[in-house]
Every structure is written in C-alpha cells, then in structure tokens.
Amino acid sequence: MTPSGGTGTARRVPPRVVITGATGRMGGELLATAGERDDVWAVAATTRTPAAIPIEDLELQQASELPELLADSAVDALIDFTVPEYSVDAVEAAADAGIASVVGTTGFDDGQLEALRTASESAPVLKAANFARGVEVLRQVVGEAAAAMADYDAEVIETHHSGKRDAPSGTAKTILDEIERARGAGGDEDASDGEDRVHGREGRAPREQDEVGVHAVRAGDITGVHEVLLADNHEELRITHRAEDRGVFAAGALDAAIWLEGREPGWYEFGDVLSGE
Ligand code: NAD
C-alpha cells in the first residue's frame, strides 16, 4: 500500500503556488497557464486592485496581505512578476515563512539584489530575467561567440512593448554580462553596468574599439525580441531570440517552481532547471 491508498504508485501532489501581480500581463498569463496544467496548482493570487479572475478554487487577496497569506496557507512556492520594490517584500515574506520564490521581476538595484540574496539564505530563491528556454540557450551561445570573435564589434538590441518600465531589459543586461565575461571584462548580476556599455548614440559619437552598444526599442505590444550583433569589416553574425507569446515565460516560471520543490535554501538560476539535475 502507498500513502495514497492505491495499488502501487503514490499519486504526486502538485506543488501549490501563489502568484503575485495577478492583474498584470505576466500575472494573468501565469494564472491562465497554471489553469491548463495539472503538474502545478495556483492556490492563491494577490493584486493591488481586486478583480474577477476566472480560475476556480483560487483565493484572491490584496497584495499587502501576502505575508499573512503565506504564513497561513499550505504553499510550496511564490511566483513574482511585479515591480522590484514589491518583489523584495514578497520574497522576504516567503523566506520568513520558509517558502521558495521564483522571481521574474526585472530592474532591481544593487541593494534590492542584496536583499534577495539574503532571503535566499532562509529559503530557495530562483531568479531569472527571462524564463524562455531559448534565451537561456542564446546566453550560452553568445558567450561562446563573443569569445571566439573577441575583436568584433558587439551591439545588443532589445525590443519590447511600450508599457515596459525598465531599460535596457534585464535579459539584455544578462547578455551584456555574458559578453563581458567572455571577453574578460567582468560583469555580474542585472544591476551591474560595465564601463564599456554605450546606451544609444547621439550627435558625434564615433565607436570605440571596446565599447558594446545597447539599444532599447519600445513600441506597441511586442512581447520581447533580443538581438546580438557581432561584426567586423567583412562579416556579421546576428543571433536573435523572439518571444511570440508571454505563455513561454509563464511555462518556464511554473517549471522552475516545480523544480524548486524540496530544494535547500540558496540562490538558483533558470539554467539550473534546464540542466535537469
Ligand atoms: P505589468 O505592469 O503588466 O504588471 C505588473 C504587476 O505588478 C501588476 O499586477 C501591478 O498591479 C503589480 N504592481 C505594480 N506595483 C506594485 C506594488 N507597488 N505593489 C504590489 N503590486 C504592484 O508588468 P508585466 O509585463 O507583467 O511585467 C512584470 C515584471 O516581469 C517586469 O519587471 C518585467 O520586466 C518582468 N518580466 C519578466 C519576464 C521573465 O521571463 N523573467 C518576462 C516578462 C516580464
């Protein structure tokens, strides 16, 4: 007999997650995607503006009540795609309750990142600027390309919807970190900004040998495009990732919440999930 009382295979209980920013673009996508899956269960969601959310059995609460919600409910993970100032409070509340966090929010400053790192000493925290599998692969490929083409000019161009708050995107910063790391120029975390990054150009602005151009385009409802250009006088290489639908980020974040189940407190990245360990 198994604990489930069945005849051989114990039925796995899906991890129970709380989703913050329920009325946001990503919050809505996470709720919709979770509602279609049976390997994860969205048991509650928080929002600053209570609204009707069409998912059965879902507890909808005020964002400010998150600590009580986490302390009182049987929850395995928090999934947060909101704004840095709220995200830090949410992750700290989860860590206080011994609950793992999946953080998709971008635009943290150094102090906020430090607070997330501290929270990860009490409970697992998995943070990624981009939960698309293709972007994780792009990051790895870009590191290889930037090292092999070390003398080539590098430019990073990202394009997002007009409602995006932070620029350049957290993903672009991660890609820049990778280029700098591959070329021995350091760079770490999404709040850092390498000395050779040039954000857009205006007027008389001849290119320096070591600079990396960064361009943030904002228009319409574009989900997210990241392009890395490596060029010299005779050839150019462009590596592009295009997210067609926010569902790809939601799926990755839910996969991360499932992967975190039973993990020790600590700092994790999306690459850890994809490594399959
Ligand atoms: P959005 O503006 O549509 O939603 C933001 C949500 O946060 C809303 O529900 C809003 O009510 C809530 N919010 C804002 N301020 C708040 C506060 N002070 N307290 C509590 N809640 C607050 O934004 P979005 O497009 O859903 O993106 C959210 C975040 O996720 C951004 O940082 C974005 O860059 C990031 N993002 C990450 C990925 C990824 O794969 N990691 C993908 C897409 C977006």
Side-chain angles (χ1 to χ4, degrees):
M1 289 285 280
T2 64
S4 65
T7 54
T9 44
R11 261 193 81 201
R12 226 176 120 69
V13 179
R16 298 156 58 99
V17 300
V18 171
I19 293 165
T20 52
T23 49
R25 292 180 194 84
M26 278 306 300
E29 197 65 50
L30 282 157
L31 287 169
T33 307
E36 290 164 4
R37 290 172 61 156
D38 57 10
D39 56 352
V40 62
W41 183 13
V43 290
T46 63
T47 171
R48 285 189 305 171
T49 48
I53 293 186
I55 292 189
E56 282 177 31
D57 302 329
L58 184 83
E59 198 182 335
L60 185 63
Q61 297 221 354
Q62 283 283 350
S64 56
E65 289 164 11
L66 182 69
E68 293 78 15
L69 172 69
L70 293 173
D72 297 344
S73 316
V75 172
D76 298 300
L78 168 88
I79 303 183
D80 176 88
F81 284 68
T82 57
V83 289
E85 54 273 28
Y86 181 70
S87 186
V88 169
D89 289 349
V91 171
E92 285 176 341
D96 286 348
I99 293 169
S101 293
V102 173
V103 183
T105 303
T106 60
F108 295 100
D109 64 27
D110 286 333
Q112 291 166 328
L113 281 171
E114 191 56 39
L116 295 182
R117 290 259 182 202
T118 302
S120 75
E121 291 166 14
S122 308
V125 176
L126 189 151
K127 179 182 162 315
N130 199 305
F131 280 97
R133 285 169 187 256
V135 163
E136 181 57 30
V137 175
L138 176 138
R139 198 179 58 76
Q140 295 168 15
V141 168
V142 162
E144 203 175 313
M149 302 164 83
D151 296 337
Y152 284 50
D153 294 338
E155 302 269 318
V156 176
I157 307 109
E158 56 100 336
T159 307
H160 284 87
H161 56 89
S162 49
K164 185 163 176 61
R165 281 189 10 152
D166 53 321
S169 68
T171 304
K173 289 181 179 179
T174 308
I175 292 169
L176 289 158
D177 288 344
E178 204 57 53
I179 293 170
E180 288 164 4
R181 208 180 338 260
R183 292 181 170 181
D188 191 24
E189 291 291 3
D190 77 358
S192 69
D193 199 359
E195 283 175 13
D196 296 326
R197 296 178 191 182
V198 174
H199 296 268
R201 295 189 183 85
E202 191 184 12
R204 201 176 149 75
R207 200 181 199 291
E208 301 291 332
Q209 165 78 42
D210 292 334
E211 73 186 43
V212 181
V214 190
H215 310 278
V217 181
R218 296 289 174 265
D221 64 353
I222 295 165
T223 301
V225 184
H226 291 90
E227 180 177 63
V228 179
L229 166 63
L230 293 166
D232 77 352
N233 292 336
H234 306 290
E235 63 171 336
E236 65 179 60
L237 172 65
R238 290 178 190 264
I239 309 169
T240 306
H241 179 273
R242 195 176 303 278
E244 303 280 356
D245 190 291
R246 288 186 181 85
V248 72
F249 308 130
L254 292 165
D255 290 344
I258 295 167
W259 182 86
L260 276 180
E261 212 184 354
R263 302 272 164 192
E264 293 295 317
W267 186 259
Y268 299 97
E269 296 173 353
F270 193 43
D272 299 327
V273 180
L274 302 189
S275 72
E277 288 167 10

